[in-house]
Amino acid sequence: MTQNGSLEADVVVLGLGSAGEVVAGICAGAGLRVVAVESGLVGGQCPYHACIPSKSLDLVLATGSSPIVPPLPGLDGNPFWTSDQALSAVELPRRLVILGGGPVGCELAQAFARFGSEVTLVESGPELLPSEPDVIGQVLAAVLRDDGVRVCLAARAERVDGAGVGAGITVRLDDGTAATADRVLVATGRRPNTYGIGVERLGIDAEKGLTPDAYGRVGDGVWAIGDVTAAAPFTHMATYAARAVAQTLLGRPHRLDLSAAPRAVYTDPTVLCVGITPRQAREQRIPLLQAGFDLDGTARAYVEGIARGRVEIYAGEDGRVLGAAAVAPRADDLMGQAVLAVRAGVDVRLWAEVIQPFPGLSEAFGEPVRELAGRVGRSGVSSRGVGWR
Ligand SMILES: Cc1cc2nc3c(=O)[nH]c(=O)nc-3n(C[C@H](O)[C@H](O)[C@H](O)COP(=O)(O)OP(=O)(O)OC[C@H]3O[C@@H](n4cnc5c(N)ncnc54)[C@H](O)[C@@H]3O)c2cc1C
């Protein structure tokens, strides 16, 4: 503490969520003087509103993100939730309209449908999970319909009419249909918390958002980690970036590599995607070989009565695994080998030699990787070593 009452520190961390906690802990453990400032609850959104319920005078920005509420006529005058309120609600709406078919909208649609609400899920894109491969959204839509969710695709909410709780709220869609609810849940995305933290004084434009370099640096002596950067908004990504930045702050520069960031959606079955998607490959003009397999072709699915699920593998013409996607029970665990394959740039011809245990769900990888391996072999584009020495 200085004479004027201010604190002296080597590292100041704004925000003590998943990212802030890790970076502050590592730096303090290594002997740096750390001041951590948290405006709400220590631990951030992950333990309270998200996952757990569905430096040398550097300044680490770890202020997370907040829900975006769209400027929808009539929404303000009617009771609506964001995920924060939905996950701490004590009432169960009889009818719930969810705007947004991304990860949060899909997870909460299934949860509330299983609690007993009549759920309508509205997504403006042609499929659920618009950033993921189409087939994954298609399987998930079928799963949610099995749960009783009314899934409205390619439909955008254009107006909300109603007289409040009990009287019913009508959400009018631009395809001419409507959905009536007791509560509207807005899950139309989140925006990084870049405002009100003074980044402008450091020459950073809060409006443009934070674009960290390969080490997480956004300016001289300023670092940004977690959801505030808008890159892969997941707890595991926040803690990964926090560990890397802490190492850099301790004098051991650590490059971030987000190429194999696992993107999870905790519905039942779970969605796990990693690396490139066919849409990104088209946009970036990357020739992509792709093959997939429906889980019901595995012995395990037969034994366990798994009706829906799929894995998809994406490889470059040279055979390198560039991406993968799955909707499957415990896909987060099942896809460990796919995440490793993308991260390590494994050749699909080597993956085809991996022996998958019987009767495990990972048998689903067998056919698609063998098919891709065959296509790479035939294309003769590359004969890069596939041995394992
Ligand atoms: C419904 C939902 C479900 C999710 N489920 C999963 C999941 O299953 N798996 C997963 O990996 N991810 C999940 N996520 C994402 C995950 O919660 C976030 O990626 C993670 O919390 C990001 O951590 P963070 O530290 O960057 O931000 P946060 O956890 O948001 O922490 C930021 C902290 O900064 C504080 N803060 C903000 N402004 C200031 C300021 N000016 N000064 C000081 N403090 C400030 C906030 O109060 C907050 O505590 C989910 C998100 C949602 C919304």
Side-chain angles (χ1 to χ4, degrees):
M1 180 88 73
T2 62
Q3 278 180 341
N4 66 6
S6 62
L7 293 167
E8 277 188 352
D10 298 308
V11 181
V12 178
V13 181
L14 285 194
L16 271 180
S18 310
E21 267 187 331
V22 171
V23 78
I26 293 177
C27 290
L32 296 184
R33 293 169 305 167
V34 179
V35 170
V37 185
E38 167 56 56
S39 63
L41 295 163
V42 172
Q45 75 180 22
C46 181
Y48 301 108
H49 303 299
C51 334
I52 304 299
S54 103
K55 327 190 235 136
S56 59
L57 211 71
D58 290 289
L59 171 66
V60 178
L61 306 174
T63 51
S65 61
S66 303
I68 294 173
V69 176
L72 188 60
L75 184 62
D76 258 355
N78 286 288
F80 71 89
W81 283 339
T82 66
S83 59
D84 290 4
Q85 289 89 42
L87 288 166
S88 50
V90 290
E91 55 161 307
L92 181 67
R94 187 168 67 81
R95 298 161 302 177
L96 177 68
V97 171
I98 302 182
L99 304 181
V104 172
C106 290
E107 286 183 12
L108 292 177
Q110 187 175 54
F112 276 91
R114 290 187 177 186
F115 287 149
S117 297
E118 282 172 31
V119 178
T120 301
L121 178 61
V122 181
E123 166 55 45
S124 58
E127 309 293 350
L128 295 179
L129 304 181
S131 338
E132 302 301 355
D134 289 351
V135 66
I136 300 298
Q138 286 156 8
V139 175
L140 191 59
V143 165
L144 294 181
R145 286 182 175 122
D146 290 347
D147 275 312
V149 176
R150 176 183 165 204
V151 179
C152 303
L153 298 173
R156 189 178 287 275
E158 57 180 15
R159 205 173 76 242
V160 176
D161 297 326
V165 178
I169 308 161
T170 302
V171 180
R172 305 211 178 271
L173 309 183
D174 63 359
D175 62 1
T177 64
T180 302
D182 303 297
R183 182 72 68 171
V184 175
L185 166 53
V186 176
T188 46
R190 301 178 67 86
R191 77 172 170 73
N193 291 332
T194 49
Y195 292 94
I197 52 176
V199 290
E200 301 80 1
R201 273 184 276 161
L202 299 162
I204 298 171
D205 186 347
E207 185 78 25
K208 284 191 180 147
L210 304 176
T211 43
D213 68 12
Y215 293 88
R217 193 185 293 106
V218 287
D220 200 16
V222 189
W223 310 77
I225 51 180
D227 282 15
V228 74
T229 65
F234 294 95
T235 298
H236 45 266
M237 298 313 296
T239 53
Y240 166 73
R243 277 193 298 270
V245 164
Q247 292 307 318
T248 301
L249 289 170
L250 295 171
R252 300 186 286 268
H254 189 119
R255 279 181 75 90
L256 289 155
D257 185 331
L258 307 181
S259 61
R263 308 184 297 273
V265 185
Y266 284 95
T267 44
D268 171 24
T270 314
V271 171
L272 196 296
C273 306
V274 61
I276 204 164
T277 66
R279 193 177 307 112
Q280 288 169 336
R282 278 195 301 277
E283 286 164 4
Q284 295 166 32
R285 298 176 185 278
I286 298 172
L288 200 67
L289 304 174
Q290 60 185 87
F293 192 78
D294 289 328
L295 285 194
D296 62 4
T298 62
R300 184 57 164 266
Y302 176 77
V303 170
E304 292 194 0
I306 298 167
R308 299 191 191 279
R310 185 164 176 89
V311 298
E312 293 263 311
I313 314 292
Y314 310 119
E317 280 188 322
D318 62 354
R320 203 156 56 95
V321 180
L322 299 178
V327 49
R330 303 293 303 268
D332 49 345
D333 291 334
L334 175 73
M335 290 287 279
Q337 60 181 283
V339 174
L340 183 60
V342 174
R343 180 65 182 85
V346 165
D347 191 301
V348 76
R349 289 164 291 182
L350 174 58
W351 196 358
E353 295 292 331
V354 172
I355 301 165
Q356 305 291 351
F358 176 88
L361 272 188
S362 62
E363 271 206 302
F365 293 122
E367 264 193 38
V369 294
R370 284 193 293 272
E371 181 187 328
L372 293 179
R375 284 159 63 186
V376 174
R378 281 196 300 276
S379 77
V381 170
S382 159
S383 57
R384 189 157 67 89
V386 296
W388 40 86
R389 267 178 306 172

